[in-house]
Amino acid sequence: MQVVLLERIEKLGQMGEVVSVKPGYARNFLLPKQKAMRATKANLEHFENQRAQLEADNLQRREEAVKVSSTLEGLTVSLIRQAGDSGQLYGSVNTRDISEAVTASGVTISRSQVVLNKVIKTLGLHDVKVVLHPEVTVGIVVNTARSAEEAEQQLRSGSVASSHDEVVEEVEEIAEVAEETIEADGERLIVTPDAVTASEMS
């Protein structure tokens, strides 16, 4: 099916271009979202008559999007979720969760503007794109953590914070090593968390 684009569509074309698309894509997305119209003779004539106004409107929306992008670019939003020791979320984070978090931070966006290559199902820092305009896309960071404290730690370190159980295991391992007696070079070295002492072998 041939359609004339009413705005830029990534990987498809620019405003005013006549392109061929699958009928289902046109009927289910392009036409109902008013991103394109059928490339009939009447529609093409109508588009040409309205082109100047459409381009002016598009330019205004683009300028507004650029202004918003300066505020949104690099924004980090934290989402607190329950997760297992492996870092797997009990559930997932979707476009609605992200749009609500961004809106709560002061910039209103819709879930349709959030681009997720895949649903977020793990703890950590996730790069996400937000489309403010067909020609303006910004990147934000979604920080999924078990608590606000863990979210802050992840931001500082740039990696997933250890779970409580993992921290306990690490402390226990350190304690075990600290209690071990190491024999070497005729001396007995007693390793403790605070100091290392040596006594001559009898």
Side-chain angles (χ1 to χ4, degrees):
M1 176 187 294
Q2 285 198 319
V3 298
V4 56
L5 299 179
L6 300 179
E7 62 180 49
R8 176 183 177 274
I9 305 293
E10 188 174 359
K11 298 180 181 179
L12 191 57
Q14 302 292 329
M15 175 189 289
E17 285 188 36
V18 176
V19 296
S20 295
V21 297
K22 293 181 178 179
Y25 181 54
R27 287 195 299 267
N28 298 326
F29 179 70
L30 295 176
L31 300 180
K33 297 282 186 179
Q34 296 184 341
K35 295 179 180 292
M37 58 184 176
R38 293 175 185 273
T40 62
K41 184 178 179 180
N43 282 345
L44 288 172
E45 289 178 358
H46 175 73
F47 175 80
E48 288 303 324
N49 292 334
Q50 299 295 319
R51 179 188 282 271
Q53 185 61 49
L54 290 171
E55 289 179 345
D57 291 344
N58 179 65
L59 180 60
Q60 182 179 355
R61 290 196 303 272
R62 185 180 186 281
E63 289 174 349
E64 291 172 354
V66 169
K67 290 179 183 178
V68 173
S69 70
S70 62
T71 302
L72 201 57
E73 182 70 52
L75 173 73
T76 297
V77 293
S78 295
L79 295 174
I80 308 305
R81 295 289 187 272
Q82 292 184 332
D85 294 339
S86 65
Q88 194 77 11
L89 300 183
Y90 297 143
S92 61
V93 171
N94 56 33
T95 55
R96 175 174 290 173
D97 298 324
I98 296 170
S99 66
E100 289 177 352
V102 173
T103 299
S105 74
V107 181
T108 303
I109 64 171
S110 66
R111 61 181 302 182
S112 63
Q113 292 177 285
V114 179
V115 179
L116 275 183
N117 293 327
K118 60 180 179 179
V119 177
I120 297 172
K121 295 184 179 181
T122 57
L123 295 173
L125 304 176
H126 307 272
D127 294 324
V128 174
K129 289 183 179 180
V130 176
V131 179
L132 299 174
H133 178 273
E135 300 170 37
V136 182
T137 301
V138 298
I140 66 170
V141 176
V142 175
N143 183 10
T144 52
R146 300 181 187 90
S147 66
E149 294 77 13
E150 189 174 82
E152 290 179 8
Q153 182 181 342
Q154 288 178 176
L155 278 178
R156 287 196 300 270
S157 66
S159 60
V160 178
S162 298
S163 69
H164 174 71
D165 291 341
E166 290 172 336
V167 172
V168 170
E169 288 176 5
E170 290 173 4
V171 171
E172 288 176 348
E173 288 176 5
I174 293 171
E176 287 176 7
V177 171
E179 292 173 357
E180 289 181 355
T181 299
I182 304 173
E183 295 184 4
D185 297 329
E187 293 185 336
R188 185 174 61 197
L189 303 178
I190 303 174
V191 183
T192 67
D194 301 319
V196 176
T197 59
S199 60
E200 292 293 337
M201 293 286 292
S202 56

